[in-house]
């Protein structure tokens, strides 16, 4: 561990961590959906101002950018996402969310931090404060980026399109982390492709409605949808090599309002995940071909309509920058707590900022599961049953040691560039 890291981390005492734990519980109680993170953004902005950052609110809608210039040196971006999910919490925690909101169709829906973004915000707030307090130990420019709308793959792009890079300049590196259901206190990091590209598509299928007793007078969109769903399964199983990685999920199907009425139309949503541009294109082309062919085979009166809901890029860690971060993390935590991160089919828009800036980026995993529960579940072969994963209504990081490890990871990684004695 460098002297700069040791100096900055000296300010991260038990009282500071307890205060951050209170912030985490508050954020967990008050989740906000994508592009609605007004309260969360306000909390982040207030903390950055108090720490001495120049604060730029409203970037990309609800995004917040904090800039701390501390002499000549590199520019390092630390990023945290802020948004929650439309999930009803089932953790039983005393600080569990009971929040609800209305969706775009006016329906009342629950809201929960089911992916740990509240922990990400808390860790970045803590790291920003500690680095500001310990600024005598480093030189350069620190950018704290609180990003909206990661869950819908829109926030990073919105911030870039709103002039983010004009505000902060070209960074030397973009750094971020994400909690995953691994033992709390551990860090997972690897170079190269670590998170999949993902594409979500909404498909409208058109039929001809009528009475359920007279199917011969109709074109049944439910039958069309069912045939389409089944045929779509072959896009991966029969069109992608078993040596490639790909997933196709039909997550929703909607049609009709009454049991004796054949509807006029049906809709399905498809989610695709891949690790190479070639496979991604094959999946997208295969879905469109199958959907249009099934509609024609059913005699649909109108061609189907396909609409992209969101598209996540492949997340790729720069090899050289990743090696630099890993050396720093290993020096801080020890080799036993820093392990390889296997590629995951989950997706992120984290890489958008680095790609737009032409800067290297590094993204790592932060364990957040109770270590004893995790180890017992591993021994008993019950990890999927006993250790809730991201997006589960039962998902909630254990606050300690997750919080301290997350703050220390961000500080340590940033100082691999900002410190006057960075690891080589």
């Amino acid at each position: 561990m460098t002297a700069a890291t040791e100096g900055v981390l000296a300010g991260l005492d038990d009282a500071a961590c307890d205060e951050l734990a209170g912030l985490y519980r508050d954020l967990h109680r008050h989740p906000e959906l994508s592009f609605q993170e007004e309260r969360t953004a306000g909390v982040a902005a207030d903390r950055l101002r108090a720490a001495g950052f120049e604060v730029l609110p409203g970037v990309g809608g609800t995004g917040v950018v904090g800039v701390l210039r501390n002499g000549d040196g590199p520019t390092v971006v630390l990023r945290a996402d802020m948004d929650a999910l439309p999930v009803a919490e089932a953790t039983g925690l005393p600080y569990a969310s009971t929040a609800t909101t209305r969706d775009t169709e006016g329906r009342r829906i629950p809201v929960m931090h089911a992916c740990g973004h509240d922990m990400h915000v808390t860790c970045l707030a803590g790291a920003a404060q500690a680095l500001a307090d310990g600024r005598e130990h480093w030189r350069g420019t620190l950018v704290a980026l609180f990003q909206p709308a990661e869950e819908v793959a829109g926030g990073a792009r919105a911030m870039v399109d709103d002039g983010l890079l004009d505000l902060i300049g070209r960074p030397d590196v973009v750094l971020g982390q994400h909690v995953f259901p691994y033992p709390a206190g551990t860090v997972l990091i690897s170079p190269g492709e670590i998170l999949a590209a993902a594409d979500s598509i909404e498909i409208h299928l058109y039929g001809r409605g009528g009475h359920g007793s007279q199917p011969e007078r109709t074109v049944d969109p439910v039958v069309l949808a069912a045939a389409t769903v089944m045929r779509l399964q072959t896009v991966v199983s029969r069109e992608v090599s078993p040596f490639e990685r790909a997933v196709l999920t039909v997550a929703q199907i909607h049609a009709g309002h009454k049991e004796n009425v054949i509807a006029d139309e049906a809709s399905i949503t498809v989610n695709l995940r891949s690790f190479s541009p070639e496979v991604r294109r094959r999946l997208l082309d295969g879905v469109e071909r199958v959907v249009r062919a099934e509609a024609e085979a059913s005699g649909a009166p109108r061609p189907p309509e396909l609409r992209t809901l969101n598209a996540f890029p492949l997340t790729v860690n720069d090899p050289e920058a990743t090696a630099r971060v890993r050396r720093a993390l290993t020096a801080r935590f020890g080799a036993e707590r820093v392990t390889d991160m296997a590629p995951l089919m989950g997706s992120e828009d984290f890489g958008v900022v680095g790609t737009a800036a032409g800067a290297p980026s590094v993204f790592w995993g932060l364990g957040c599961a109770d270590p004893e529960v995790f180890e017992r579940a591993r021994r008993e072969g019950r990890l999927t049953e006993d250790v809730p994963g991201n997006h589960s209504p039962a998902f909630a990081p254990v606050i300690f040691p997750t919080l301290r490890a997350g703050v220390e990871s961000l500080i340590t990684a940033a100082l691999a560039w900002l410190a006057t004695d960075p690891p080589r």
Side-chain angles (χ1 to χ4, degrees), residues 182-185 368-376 398 400-401:
Y182 293 92
C368 68
D370 184 304
E372 292 184 4
V373 172
F374 184 93
E375 179 57 25
R376 182 172 62 250
V398 293
F400 293 110

Side-chain angles (χ1 to χ4, degrees), residues 23 26-27 38-48 121:
L23 170 62
D26 175 72
L27 293 172
E38 299 287 351
R39 182 182 186 275
T40 307
V43 169
D46 289 346
R47 286 190 166 253
L48 290 172
V121 171

Side-chain angles (χ1 to χ4, degrees), residues 2-80:
T2 67
T5 305
E6 188 173 3
V8 172
L9 289 177
L12 190 65
D13 57 15
D14 290 344
C17 287
D18 287 343
E19 193 276 332
L20 288 171
L23 170 62
Y24 168 75
R25 294 186 187 98
D26 175 72
L27 293 172
H28 192 84
R29 284 192 189 100
H30 299 95
E32 297 168 298
L33 294 181
S34 302
F35 288 122
Q36 299 177 23
E37 308 95 338
E38 299 287 351
R39 182 182 186 275
T40 307
V43 169
D46 289 346
R47 286 190 166 253
L48 290 172
R49 289 191 189 96
F53 283 72
E54 175 190 358
V55 177
L56 307 166
V59 181
T62 47
V64 177
V65 180
V67 181
L68 184 61
R69 295 180 174 86
N70 191 33
D72 294 334
T75 296
V76 173
V77 174
L78 296 179
R79 175 267 201 177

